[in-house]
Amino acid sequence: MSQPPLLQVDQLKVSFKTHMGPLQAVRDVSFAIYPGESVAIVGESGSGKSVAAKAIIGLLSDPGVTIDGRILLNEENLLEKSEKEMQKIRGNQIGMIFQDPMTSLNPTMRVGKQILEVIHKHAKSSFKESKQQAIQLLQEVGLSDPEKRFEQYPHELSGGMRQRVLIAIALACTPKLLIADEPTTALDVTIQAQILAQMKAIQHKNQMSILLITHDLGIVAGMCDRVIVMYGGMIVETASVEDIYHSPFHPYTQGLLNSIPRVDKEESDLTPIPGAPPHLLDLPAGCPFTERCPFAMRMCPSHRPALFVIKPFQQAACWLHKKNP
Amino acid sequence: MTQKPLLSLQNVSKQFPIGKKVLTAVDGFSLDIYPGETVGLVGESGSGKSTVGRLSLYLQKPTTGSVLFDGFDLSLLSSREIRKMRRRFQMIFQDPYASLNPRMTVQDTIGEAFDIHKLVSKKQREEKIVELLESVGLDQSHLSRFPHEFSGGQRQRIGIARALAVEPGFIVCDEPISALDVSIRAQIINLLKKLQKEKGLTYLFIAHDLSMIKYLSDRVAVMYLGHLVELASSQELYSKPLHPYTQALLASIPIPDPVIEKKRERILLQGEAQNSSNSSVGCPFQHRCPFAQAICKEKKPLFEEVTPGHFAACHFAKNWL
């Protein structure tokens, strides 16, 4: 890829102050997203995936949070921006969809007004124009009867419809980057399939990049070009979507794939990963996966592996790369 | 099967009043579950699958129809007899954070079941509890801890141990893994499988994760808006679905393989499930069905055996053979 990246995250570290000392939720995370690309961050709860996303759009500004590193959007460092400047960037250049459509909308405000608010904030257009734009957006995200939806309150809509409204809000200013944090986790499978198809169509139309954050390896396979696997606040593997599923390198990625059943294959036994994810306050000095790793060696608990190049476009943070070159 | 069913739901309906209206959560549902098998129950939110789970344990009384457990009609038993009967059927709940009493230690939570049914003497109590804990992969050191000291997966193990304490034959698992992390889910599923083999348990497994249901179940029942629309052996249902809703459900499952996923052509369902409070004539799926004909709007399809052991409620089920 010869283009410069749209978003470049460089050595991102996020830690929270707690009673029991600093909690490192994100540790030295670096990655880039190119224009028009879909990238997935996959991880379990506590892997740091949502915290990384929130750091990117500047929603972690509490006094107890320390953020280090660089987040470059079009070569401008977002971490040096003031809150006022960030407000212009959010919505305009980066759109975000959250997991829970039930709580992300204002229950006392009509759906239409919530979309208009975003359009007005970022573009100077007349009420009539904005309303037309809002209704068109609602139609674009697949809502039937958009004029009626415009006048309704969130409680009158189902979960799937609310998620569509949130997507419409996120897309209102045609952002270049859409961050979707578990966008379909709360929805039924048939609705999930509809919404993902819609998101892909809009991405294609607007030439938008997507950062999809999820724990579901199934939806990643159909949606994304590249995958970043996070564990214990670190990136443990990053590769093209084909490599992640067909030749995963890191034992954690392999373990994850072995522990999900497949509907298209005849039964084979599931091999779960033993144990549980590490507590972020009590991370080992070395590789965070050591305790659960079937291949752990003597050096693993004490030496933290960096991301090693396994082959072009595939990197893994695992000492095993030395064993089979 | 010539065996006698362990649990038999016969034309069961459940209605809930909402103000002046009535919501029919389950409508004319019949299902036999045989000893030792696992029946998977799938459907979208609001399809009535959890209500079926609660009805089969008689935690809710059906509005019409009857529930037979081991041949006994539960509606004819007194509440004392029901309580005795409850020893034989238990439930594992979805949310391991909400289903354990936060102020009770593991020992008390599991021991309570012993005390209520007066199953073991005081001397044996602790020994028995440890035995149970070990069978679900925990140990003696966990006895006097409280739920907040455990992770989600461990809590679900405690929930399973609690259900097993009374030595039931039949367990309803209501979404037991959906609150857990991906890498933990397989641990719990394999534990449930192991326990079934060791103790000869019968499961009704409720979930919306169709891949997991396939992995676990002998037979699968599909629900849509309170109706049972298809029932078949797991292998048959996933390879030859006869109801358009089942077909759409299967087409919507994402497959963790980018090559297959990118080539896949899927029929996406239009719209969303309508609320069943205005139960209309005809097939409940008519509004979203891509193949709906005039007859679907007029006549409700019967739930019929299309091929041996494979039932479906669709006027055109035979066309797919």
Side-chain angles (χ1 to χ4, degrees):
Chain A
M1 274 165 257
S2 54
Q3 285 169 293
L6 174 70
L7 178 83
Q8 188 169 7
V9 176
D10 221 2
Q11 295 291 313
L12 180 68
K13 295 181 198 66
V14 181
S15 74
F16 297 92
K17 225 187 233 167
T18 70
H19 292 299
M20 288 167 283
L23 181 148
Q24 295 188 308
V26 175
R27 301 190 288 164
D28 302 311
V29 163
S30 306
F31 62 90
I33 301 176
Y34 292 87
E37 194 184 30
S38 311
V39 177
I41 300 186
V42 177
E44 298 178 83
S45 37
S47 61
K49 56 190 196 300
S50 290
V51 173
K54 283 194 177 141
I56 292 170
I57 52 169
L59 288 182
L60 293 175
S61 50
D62 294 323
V65 187
T66 349
I67 306 179
D68 259 322
R70 290 193 310 164
I71 299 170
L72 302 175
L73 183 75
N74 286 328
E75 290 168 357
E76 280 182 73
N77 192 352
L78 297 185
L79 290 180
E80 288 163 3
K81 302 270 183 213
S82 68
E83 179 54 30
K84 228 180 174 175
E85 289 171 306
M86 274 313 286
Q87 277 181 11
K88 276 196 188 141
I89 291 168
R90 278 198 291 266
N92 240 343
Q93 296 180 49
I94 308 180
M96 176 131 189
I97 313 169
F98 295 95
Q99 172 173 1
D100 191 354
M102 305 298 162
T103 53
S104 321
L105 287 168
N106 185 339
T108 65
M109 218 193 235
R110 289 180 205 276
V111 164
K113 198 169 170 207
Q114 302 193 42
I115 303 178
L116 284 183
E117 226 179 17
V118 185
I119 298 176
H120 274 292
K121 185 106 198 159
H122 295 290
K124 289 188 182 84
S125 49
S126 71
F127 177 78
K128 225 176 160 185
E129 279 168 12
S130 324
K131 185 173 173 182
Q132 203 142 40
Q133 196 188 339
I135 286 175
Q136 202 192 331
L137 272 168
L138 287 175
Q139 192 157 20
E140 220 169 278
V141 294
L143 275 170
S144 57
D145 218 349
E147 277 93 1
K148 187 176 152 205
R149 305 289 169 233
F150 190 86
E151 300 294 337
Q152 279 179 316
Y153 285 98
H155 76 265
E156 297 175 83
L157 308 178
S158 70
M161 283 160 41
R162 282 184 234 191
Q163 195 59 287
R164 288 176 207 268
V165 171
L166 285 173
I167 296 176
I169 292 175
L171 295 177
C173 298
T174 50
K176 283 285 149 225
L177 174 66
L178 179 70
I179 300 180
D181 191 354
E182 305 267 12
T184 55
T185 309
L187 306 175
D188 286 320
V189 270
T190 56
I191 309 295
Q192 165 173 295
Q194 290 173 13
I195 289 197
L196 293 177
Q198 217 98 44
M199 272 172 67
K200 257 199 272 188
I202 294 171
Q203 171 184 30
H204 200 71
K205 196 183 129 222
N206 293 1
Q207 280 298 304
M208 181 174 68
S209 305
I210 293 183
L211 178 62
L212 177 74
I213 292 157
T214 182
H215 68 275
D216 187 340
L217 283 161
I219 67 171
V220 171
M223 266 302 272
C224 297
D225 309 312
R226 271 190 313 126
V227 183
I228 296 166
V229 183
M230 282 185 77
Y231 189 81
M234 279 170 51
I235 294 181
V236 294
E237 181 158 7
T238 154
S240 71
V241 69
E242 285 81 12
D243 283 340
I244 283 284
Y245 289 89
H246 294 152
S247 54
F249 186 85
H250 199 282
Y252 175 63
T253 318
Q254 294 171 2
L256 266 189
L257 288 167
N258 287 335
S259 58
I260 47 173
R262 288 183 53 162
V263 80
D264 61 323
K265 288 222 169 131
E266 276 317 302
E267 255 175 85
S268 55
D269 275 340
L270 294 183
T271 337
I273 307 176
H279 200 286
L280 292 175
L281 280 169
D282 188 23
L283 284 169
C287 171
F289 191 59
T290 309
E291 258 185 40
R292 307 173 75 188
C293 183
F295 310 107
M297 299 174 286
R298 223 179 311 146
M299 69 188 302
C300 295
S302 50
H303 294 76
R304 197 166 116 190
L307 273 175
F308 298 110
V309 176
I310 306 300
K311 63 180 186 209
F313 306 112
Q314 182 171 20
Q315 293 172 302
C318 181
W319 292 115
L320 282 176
H321 79 286
K322 281 192 173 162
K323 276 202 150 171
N324 34 348
Chain B
M1 273 176 255
T2 48
Q3 261 179 313
K4 245 177 59 186
L6 183 63
L7 177 86
S8 175
L9 295 163
Q10 296 179 347
N11 204 14
V12 172
S13 296
K14 177 73 188 174
Q15 298 179 326
F16 296 103
I18 326 176
K20 283 177 192 161
K21 285 187 201 159
V22 170
L23 179 116
T24 309
V26 175
D27 198 347
F29 189 98
S30 300
L31 178 67
D32 288 341
I33 298 176
Y34 295 90
E37 74 170 342
T38 303
V39 176
L41 185 58
V42 286
E44 295 179 274
S45 38
S47 61
K49 53 190 194 302
S50 286
T51 308
V52 167
R54 302 183 138 260
L55 287 171
S56 41
L57 298 183
Y58 219 62
L59 292 171
Q60 268 163 354
K61 290 179 186 163
T63 315
T64 59
S66 44
V67 181
L68 272 70
F69 187 81
D70 207 6
F72 294 97
D73 188 336
L74 295 182
S75 62
L76 301 177
L77 300 181
S78 69
S79 56
R80 177 177 284 179
E81 285 168 317
I82 293 254
R83 201 174 306 155
K84 262 195 177 161
M85 196 65 118
R86 283 254 156 78
R87 230 194 97 180
R88 303 181 53 194
F89 43 84
Q90 287 289 315
M91 186 154 184
I92 296 167
F93 297 92
Q94 170 169 11
D95 187 352
Y97 293 86
S99 57
L100 296 173
N101 186 336
R103 298 175 65 174
M104 276 164 87
T105 61
V106 170
Q107 178 161 231
D108 294 340
T109 298
I110 298 173
E112 194 181 36
F114 288 153
D115 300 344
I116 288 171
H117 293 283
K118 302 190 179 65
L119 293 178
V120 292
S121 65
K122 273 207 174 115
K123 273 186 200 158
Q124 282 179 308
R125 196 170 180 258
E126 194 176 312
E127 191 185 318
K128 272 279 191 188
I129 294 173
V130 172
E131 203 176 287
L132 268 172
L133 283 178
E134 279 168 0
S135 72
V136 297
L138 299 170
D139 61 56
Q140 198 161 7
S141 67
H142 296 114
L143 272 180
S144 49
R145 295 207 204 159
F146 288 94
H148 74 262
E149 298 176 71
F150 294 96
S151 66
Q154 285 174 316
R155 281 185 222 208
Q156 201 55 290
R157 287 172 195 269
I158 298 168
I160 295 172
R162 190 206 52 77
L164 291 176
V166 293
E167 294 171 8
F170 175 61
I171 299 184
V172 172
C173 310
D174 191 356
E175 304 258 17
I177 53 162
S178 41
L180 304 177
D181 267 325
V182 187
S183 72
I184 309 295
R185 288 183 183 173
Q187 291 177 6
I188 298 297
I189 290 297
N190 281 0
L191 173 66
L192 287 171
K193 271 197 147 177
K194 184 195 98 178
L195 292 169
Q196 179 171 43
K197 221 184 261 169
E198 286 172 5
K199 300 179 193 274
L201 298 171
T202 308
Y203 291 135
L204 176 64
F205 194 91
I206 302 170
H208 64 269
D209 182 343
L210 286 133
S211 330
M212 213 39 119
I213 286 270
K214 183 186 181 209
Y215 175 67
L216 200 74
S217 311
D218 302 309
R219 288 192 299 151
V220 179
V222 183
M223 281 188 85
Y224 186 75
L225 288 180
H227 298 261
L228 186 59
V229 297
E230 189 159 3
L231 172 70
S233 74
S234 170
Q235 209 203 350
E236 172 100 3
L237 187 105
Y238 283 86
S239 57
K240 275 182 253 143
L242 295 182
H243 196 283
Y245 177 62
T246 314
Q247 293 167 359
L249 265 187
L250 294 180
S252 310
I253 312 173
I255 292 175
D257 187 323
V259 177
I260 296 177
E261 193 65 28
K262 271 165 195 165
K263 276 194 218 144
R264 216 165 154 206
E265 278 178 38
R266 33 164 72 116
I267 331 160
L268 287 185
L269 278 187
Q270 298 301 311
E272 304 190 9
Q274 307 280 321
N275 201 327
S276 58
S277 57
N278 45 359
S279 164
S280 53
V281 281
C283 175
F285 189 54
Q286 52 172 305
H287 306 288
R288 293 175 82 192
C289 184
F291 312 107
Q293 310 276 330
I295 184 174
C296 305
K297 294 199 173 79
E298 289 150 19
K299 212 176 127 203
K300 197 158 157 182
L302 291 172
F303 187 69
E304 287 174 321
E305 190 160 17
V306 186
T307 56
H310 194 154
F311 299 79
C314 175
H315 292 300
F316 303 100
K318 286 206 166 81
N319 295 3
W320 300 102
L321 287 175

